[in-house]
Amino acid sequence: MALFRRGPLRRTLAVAVGTLSIGLAATACSPSNPDSQAGGGGDSADRITIGTTADVLNYNPLVGNSRTDTWVTNLMYPRLMGMGLDGVRTPYLASKWEYTDGGRKAKVTLRDDFTWSDGEKVTAEDVAFTIEAVAKEKIGVVAGLIPAYQKTTVLSPTELEFQLSQPDGTFLENVGFWMPVVPEHVFSKVGSVQKFANDKDWVSAGPYRLTTVERGQRYVMQRVENFPLVEGGPKTKEVVFRVFPDVNTEALALRNGDIDLIANVLPPALAKTLEGDSKLKLVTVPSLGWAHMQYNTARKPLDRLEVRQALAAAVDYEAIRRVALQGKAVSSNSSVLTPTLKQWQDPSAKEYTHDPAKAKQLLTGAGLKDGNGDGLFDGLSLRMIYDQADPNISKWAQLVRDSAKEAGIEIKLEGLERNTYVEKYTARDYDIYAGSWAIMENPPANLTLAFKCKGFINYANACDPELDRLIDESRSKLDQAGQKGPIQQAAKIISDKVYDNVLYVEEFTIAHSAKWSGFQVQPSELLSIVNPVSLAQATAG
């Protein structure tokens, strides 16, 4: 899991993953009818069948990139920490964690009752091996989130200590939430951990273990009896992920009773059509990210604050939430500190005001003119890229274009195929980028990557020394109380200087059969109710 971009295949920091071979477990046996036996619908309380729209692309939990990768590997590999609805970390494999030595060391205590599926105990050696591999091979988002990491000392089978080059109050939460722990006795024998496909003979330690793979059809996972986080172990014997071509087909299968749950979030329009179905339950899941537009500050005239402020004033934010999202979104007050993370919010933050007249005034003050009287400022034609497969952004991109025209600004829309879109925004090849983050749950760490000079995902090309100073100050504090002040100041600079135009925070809708209950809701569509503890404790009545 990572700072996933929204899209058909959500990607960690837009790093492309090559094609990997997909193997079958030695015990796998393909039935002639995918709806028979374990792959069938929701008739059995011993099986929960989940719809998804993507195959597993990578079984290695440290480098997986599709949504289905995340859902499946989360059920197999533990993390040190879980997460509550407010984004606060909760115990998982780790039972306790703390900073010592003024923040230059971080100590973690593990539970002693996790076991790998081959009978080996999960120990501190597994955690130490995993973080060493991540740091050495620079694997995924975790490597970018732990710049202060130096080494690990294993103190006992359940205790370990991390040495840091400098105090970093984001380190424990970053490692705890983002880094799946892999079995040292398996992954240490494969050479490069990053290149390991891990596509057969899985050794895992989650509530379910993968036993059957039928690419394009289903993935069958069997219960692990001794999973310690749910009393008595998982309540349901099997979890089956079935692959569908799109979410509309999933919805039909759910209504017909062929599946029990749709893992993908429902587009707002589809959610509306399912609201009155008494056989279904709809669950609202708060997003940990935000939808936004970023203006490429390395390009003229977007390097000028007045132009970015005019663009912000040209947007009708309430219309976007009402029309494109059909009310399934809330304002973030134009702040990167979102309402999901209430403990970080700045009560003084205010949303940009939709004011085309003010936008024109700002542009005129900046020296721009409408020389030919066509209602558009001369030389102000901007290209906005977006993922054409994203139904929400495809709708609001048109609203942005139309409201910008009222302010005298021409925006040319460029809806792109997903891979081309990723290539464009990672290369900073755009004037305006329209997209969204799925998970931005630790502001000091997230803003480091997204807004510091040359930050790994600083797609706006922002470079502001005062902003950098505040972000660094926040990271140096060892608790949220100390981090909050400087990070709120940093967020205010991002808003005031329009380094990011945050449009809304989506409220996701997940649908499941009314026969099922006991799910545990976690924030973001990548956790939602398709998280390990939730699926392990859910029951059918």
Side-chain angles (χ1 to χ4, degrees):
M1 192 180 309
L3 310 179
F4 286 82
R5 278 289 184 189
R6 291 294 307 277
L9 294 180
R10 203 142 302 183
R11 177 57 189 119
T12 305
L13 304 180
V15 179
V17 174
T19 303
L20 297 171
S21 61
I22 304 299
L24 301 181
T27 58
C29 180
S30 303
S32 58
N33 178 3
D35 289 337
S36 68
Q37 302 172 13
D43 294 331
S44 172
D46 290 333
R47 176 193 314 123
I48 183 166
T49 305
I50 303 171
T52 179
T53 55
D55 275 295
V56 175
L57 299 181
N58 197 327
Y59 296 94
N60 185 332
L62 296 173
V63 294
N65 79 327
S66 82
R67 284 172 285 189
T68 311
D69 291 359
T70 301
W71 292 323
V72 170
T73 59
N74 273 357
L75 293 176
M76 300 168 67
Y77 299 95
R79 297 170 190 265
L80 293 174
M81 303 174 194
M83 180 180 290
L85 269 175
D86 55 3
V88 174
R89 303 301 192 269
T90 58
Y92 197 93
L93 177 58
S95 60
K96 186 172 66 174
W97 51 89
E98 62 181 340
Y99 292 100
T100 60
D101 192 22
R104 293 185 180 274
K105 293 180 180 178
K107 184 178 179 181
V108 174
T109 302
L110 308 179
R111 296 175 64 114
D112 64 359
D113 50 2
F114 269 77
T115 304
W116 296 109
S117 56
D118 62 359
E120 296 277 348
K121 295 284 289 186
V122 178
T123 71
E125 293 285 356
D126 297 305
V127 180
F129 169 81
T130 304
I131 193 170
E132 282 291 324
V134 166
K136 180 180 179 181
E137 298 187 38
K138 301 188 185 309
I139 302 174
V141 67
V142 180
L145 289 171
I146 57 171
Y149 173 75
Q150 289 186 318
K151 67 176 183 177
T152 302
T153 301
V154 174
L155 305 176
S156 77
T158 59
E159 295 178 304
L160 63 157
E161 185 176 75
F162 303 109
Q163 180 74 45
L164 307 180
S165 61
Q166 62 187 34
D168 182 355
T170 70
F171 174 82
L172 279 172
E173 290 196 357
N174 286 337
V175 170
F177 176 68
W178 288 105
M179 188 182 78
V181 177
V182 299
E184 184 272 342
H185 63 285
V186 175
F187 278 61
S188 63
K189 300 175 181 178
V190 301
S192 170
V193 170
Q194 185 165 211
K195 295 178 180 179
F196 180 40
N198 191 38
D199 56 6
K200 61 183 178 179
D201 301 327
W202 297 279
V203 175
S204 58
Y208 291 90
R209 59 186 181 88
L210 186 60
T211 57
T212 303
V213 171
E214 296 169 35
R215 187 165 173 79
Q217 295 186 46
R218 64 175 187 162
Y219 298 79
V220 181
M221 308 186 75
Q222 301 291 336
R223 175 171 62 193
V224 174
E225 300 289 347
N226 61 348
F227 181 67
L229 296 186
V230 175
E231 186 175 357
K235 309 304 181 188
T236 304
K237 291 182 179 179
E238 286 184 344
V239 171
V240 180
F241 287 89
R242 282 190 54 192
V243 183
F244 291 86
D246 53 61
V247 71
N248 291 313
T249 311
E250 288 179 308
L252 180 61
L254 181 64
R255 279 183 148 166
N256 289 340
D258 295 327
I259 60 175
D260 302 297
L261 188 159
I262 298 176
N264 313 87
V265 299
L266 303 178
L270 179 56
K272 288 283 186 184
T273 68
L274 300 180
E275 284 179 352
D277 193 327
S278 62
K279 296 180 181 179
L280 307 180
K281 284 189 178 180
L282 303 185
V283 179
T284 298
V285 175
S287 172
L288 279 172
W290 61 80
H292 61 158
M293 289 186 294
Q294 289 193 304
Y295 310 115
N296 192 342
T297 62
R299 289 189 177 184
K300 296 181 180 297
L302 296 167
D303 59 336
R304 302 184 62 179
L305 176 58
E306 303 96 324
V307 174
R308 300 197 301 275
Q309 290 174 327
L311 284 162
V315 178
D316 190 339
Y317 302 93
E318 183 56 37
I320 286 174
R321 293 190 290 267
R322 185 183 70 253
V323 178
L325 276 294
Q326 299 195 17
K328 297 289 186 180
V330 296
S331 171
S332 190
N333 293 319
S334 298
S335 174
V336 293
L337 302 178
T338 72
T340 302
L341 305 176
K342 292 180 173 59
Q343 67 273 27
W344 292 99
Q345 272 191 297
D346 181 353
S348 69
K350 296 187 182 301
E351 186 168 70
Y352 302 133
T353 301
H354 175 223
D355 189 341
K358 179 183 177 181
K360 289 182 177 180
Q361 183 181 13
L362 284 163
L363 293 171
T364 300
L368 279 77
K369 298 179 180 180
D370 176 12
N372 59 10
D374 65 353
L376 298 173
F377 285 93
D378 300 339
L380 191 58
S381 179
L382 303 170
R383 178 172 61 97
M384 184 166 84
I385 67 169
Y386 64 95
D387 178 1
Q388 63 187 5
D390 189 309
N392 294 340
I393 296 179
S394 294
K395 289 179 182 178
W396 62 250
Q398 298 177 53
L399 298 178
V400 168
R401 176 197 61 196
D402 295 345
S403 62
K405 188 174 182 180
E406 295 177 21
I409 304 168
E410 181 181 47
I411 293 180
K412 295 180 178 180
L413 301 183
E414 193 169 330
L416 302 172
E417 178 271 331
R418 176 67 182 172
N419 290 335
T420 304
Y421 167 71
V422 169
E423 290 172 5
K424 290 284 187 181
Y425 75 64
T426 53
R428 281 66 167 173
D429 182 14
Y430 63 85
D431 298 318
I432 305 173
Y433 155 84
S436 62
W437 294 112
I439 298 182
M440 296 287 264
E441 77 333 322
N442 186 330
N446 303 149
L447 301 194
T448 297
L449 293 172
F451 297 103
K452 280 195 65 175
C453 295
K454 298 183 179 180
F456 190 38
I457 53 173
N458 182 352
Y459 297 127
N461 289 306
C463 193
D464 188 316
E466 178 62 9
L467 179 57
D468 283 8
R469 184 190 69 78
L470 289 165
I471 293 172
D472 288 341
E473 179 184 347
S474 181
R475 287 194 73 143
S476 72
K477 306 299 182 181
L478 301 182
D479 58 18
Q480 194 251 327
Q483 295 169 345
K484 186 173 181 178
I487 213 64
Q488 285 184 342
Q489 295 178 58
K492 188 175 188 306
I493 289 176
I494 292 167
S495 177
D496 289 348
K497 296 193 176 181
V498 201
Y499 292 138
D500 199 355
N501 188 351
V502 181
L503 305 179
Y504 59 83
V505 175
E506 192 168 353
E507 294 181 322
F508 299 123
T509 302
I510 301 289
H512 67 84
S513 166
K515 296 178 182 178
W516 286 84
S517 62
F519 295 108
Q520 181 184 97
V521 182
Q522 294 183 348
S524 90
E525 66 174 302
L526 291 166
L527 296 175
S528 64
I529 61 174
V530 190
N531 62 74
V533 173
S534 178
L535 293 180
Q537 69 185 24
T539 57

